[in-house]
Amino acid sequence: MRKIGFLLICVCILIPLTACNSEKETKRQSEKDNLEINEENKEDPSCQHIWQEATCTMAKKCTLCSEISGLNLGHDWIEASYDAPLTCKRCGAVDGEKLKLSDECDKVLCSGEYNGNSYEVVLNEREDYSGLYLEIGVIKNNRWVLEPTPDMPFITTKVYDTEKKSFGEIHYIGQGCFLCQKENSGSYAYAIYSAENGKSITRDRWYQPLPIICSNTDEFFIIHQGRYNGDNRLWNTDNCFTVLNKTTMTTSEIILEDGISDWADGAHYRFSNISEGVFWIAPAGRNETAFYDINGKKAIDLSPYYISFKWHLNFTNGTCCFYIKNENDSYYLITIDKSGKVLSSEPASLHDFGV
């Protein structure tokens, strides 16, 4: 009996102790959990934010901890103009291209570049009470040099058909100059206009179209064989060519020093225009074919070759290619340099050579 009583007393003592310990453990665990939660939510006292201001493409950002705040600003666009494309006022970013005057015109007839400048000749078709009419304008670097006008000051009546409302072909011939030429009953009329100084020169009668292939850097351009006496009559009895200075729009003569023996009154010879300081002449009998420089001196003698007259000869990047026929009636395409040295040759056909 005494043993049973002792056991009951022990049980009564242990039960409160166990409950007390459990409460203490639960309390300690709860305090630990709360401490961890507080540590997670606690700001880092070591980061004193240094904010990098927001830009068009990035929100405000701490340079120390990379924390982001707010939103990016977005671009503040200025509309595109003739001087600049769509441009952000804030950061200078650009989108697209600047406006072009020529885009507002009906057609770009011809364009070219020289010394970082760009040139365009444009056309508009207009209509009024009297019917349709054309306007021509000239643009340099996206600015009007000559605003579109029906008067077309550099196009003569010989190269403009008032009934058909059309004119001859327009070509860019370098240094800001344009050539317009048109056939009229077997002869040719042409006008050359300089976008640099607004000057022009015209000729109303000429037996063949002017060779248009030339170097953009060449200052001179051949406008006809022989002399021009001012009343539209051409004299071909002299060993000379009339050239135009494209910078000043003035003419002068190139007199061939050694001459051409079979030059005859009224004879018309094939010639190329000035390219890289030289031009090619092909007399009627194919003999004495040569390149001459702008001083009239023979630069390259081509008389040893039987050259095809199907093509005009011009230099490009220091070389010139042309077709020949040798003594065995075989055809070749050869390439020469400015000294006349043959750089390469390859077989060709009669079709390539022409007649």
Side-chain angles (χ1 to χ4, degrees):
M1 185 63 113
R2 275 185 213 148
K3 289 181 179 180
I4 293 173
F6 178 76
L7 289 172
L8 290 173
I9 293 171
C10 289
V11 169
C12 291
I13 293 172
L14 288 173
I15 288 174
L17 288 174
T18 302
C20 182
N21 288 337
S22 178
E23 289 177 2
K24 288 181 179 179
E25 183 64 28
T26 300
K27 184 178 180 181
R28 281 197 296 269
Q29 183 63 42
S30 177
E31 290 176 349
K32 181 180 178 182
D33 291 342
N34 288 336
L35 179 61
E36 290 178 355
I37 292 172
N38 289 336
E39 286 296 326
E40 288 179 1
N41 293 332
K42 187 177 180 181
E43 293 184 1
D44 183 0
S46 64
C47 184
Q48 302 298 321
H49 291 305
I50 298 178
W51 295 108
Q52 183 179 18
E53 291 302 318
T55 67
C56 294
T57 57
M58 187 178 69
K60 187 167 71 170
K61 181 179 181 180
C62 175
T63 59
L64 299 178
C65 69
S66 300
E67 182 176 334
I68 302 296
S69 177
L71 300 173
N72 61 299
L73 301 177
H75 292 299
D76 186 5
W77 294 111
I78 301 173
E79 291 299 319
S81 68
Y82 296 119
D83 297 312
L86 193 69
T87 306
C88 178
K89 185 190 302 182
R90 185 180 296 111
C91 71
V94 296
D95 185 26
E97 298 181 354
K98 61 184 177 181
L99 301 180
K100 292 186 65 178
L101 281 174
S102 58
D103 287 343
E104 301 174 2
C105 301
D106 293 338
K107 187 177 181 179
V108 177
L109 297 175
C110 191
S111 62
E113 297 183 352
Y114 177 66
N115 274 356
N117 299 311
S118 61
Y119 307 89
E120 297 171 290
V121 175
V122 295
L123 170 72
N124 289 326
E125 293 185 357
R126 297 290 183 257
E127 182 179 3
D128 62 11
Y129 67 92
S130 63
L132 294 174
Y133 65 93
L134 302 179
E135 293 180 337
I136 285 185
V138 181
I139 298 170
K140 175 185 176 182
N141 296 334
N142 216 21
R143 289 288 185 269
W144 289 115
V145 172
L146 176 69
E147 293 194 21
T149 172
D151 295 332
M152 293 182 285
F154 65 98
I155 304 295
T156 70
T157 56
K158 294 293 185 179
V159 295
Y160 176 63
D161 189 326
T162 55
E163 293 184 1
K164 296 181 180 179
K165 303 294 189 298
S166 64
F167 45 86
E169 296 180 351
I170 292 184
H171 305 275
Y172 179 70
I173 58 172
Q175 296 192 317
C177 292
F178 295 90
L179 164 70
C180 180
Q181 59 183 350
K182 187 176 186 295
E183 182 181 9
N184 293 295
S185 302
S187 64
Y188 288 82
Y190 63 85
I192 299 175
Y193 173 81
S194 171
E196 287 296 308
N197 54 35
K199 294 181 179 180
S200 62
I201 183 172
T202 60
R203 294 290 186 269
D204 288 338
R205 286 193 300 168
W206 183 229
Y207 73 94
Q208 66 178 357
L210 293 179
I212 60 172
I213 299 176
C214 57
S215 301
N216 197 19
T217 55
D218 279 304
E219 187 176 11
F220 296 96
F221 185 82
I222 296 176
I223 57 175
H224 58 73
Q225 171 191 331
R227 290 192 173 96
Y228 183 78
N229 69 355
D231 64 355
N232 286 343
R233 295 187 64 194
L234 298 173
W235 299 94
N236 301 312
T237 55
D238 300 296
N239 283 283
C240 75
F241 285 81
T242 300
V243 296
L244 175 72
N245 184 314
K246 292 183 287 185
T247 302
T248 62
M249 295 299 287
T250 57
T251 61
S252 59
E253 295 176 355
I254 296 177
I255 299 176
L256 307 184
E257 287 189 353
D258 54 359
I260 297 177
S261 60
D262 61 353
W263 197 292
D265 186 14
H268 296 152
Y269 304 123
R270 292 178 63 84
F271 63 91
S272 66
N273 229 299
I274 299 171
S275 61
E276 300 186 5
V278 295
F279 64 102
W280 169 68
I281 303 175
R286 296 181 188 265
N287 59 317
E288 300 178 287
T289 303
F291 275 101
Y292 288 81
D293 63 24
I294 59 174
N295 296 312
K297 295 181 179 180
K298 186 178 291 186
I300 305 173
D301 182 12
L302 299 177
S303 60
Y305 304 108
Y306 189 84
I307 296 175
S308 168
F309 281 9
K310 183 179 179 180
W311 318 100
H312 285 84
L313 275 58
N314 301 90
F315 272 92
T316 303
N317 297 324
T319 63
C320 174
C321 301
F322 52 91
Y323 291 96
I324 66 167
K325 181 172 71 171
N326 66 16
E327 58 185 9
N328 294 324
D329 291 336
S330 299
Y331 304 99
Y332 285 85
L333 172 66
I334 68 173
T335 302
I336 63 172
D337 62 16
K338 293 293 288 290
S339 70
K341 178 182 177 181
V342 176
L343 301 177
S344 65
S345 66
E346 56 185 80
S349 66
L350 174 61
H351 175 75
D352 296 326
F353 182 83
V355 294

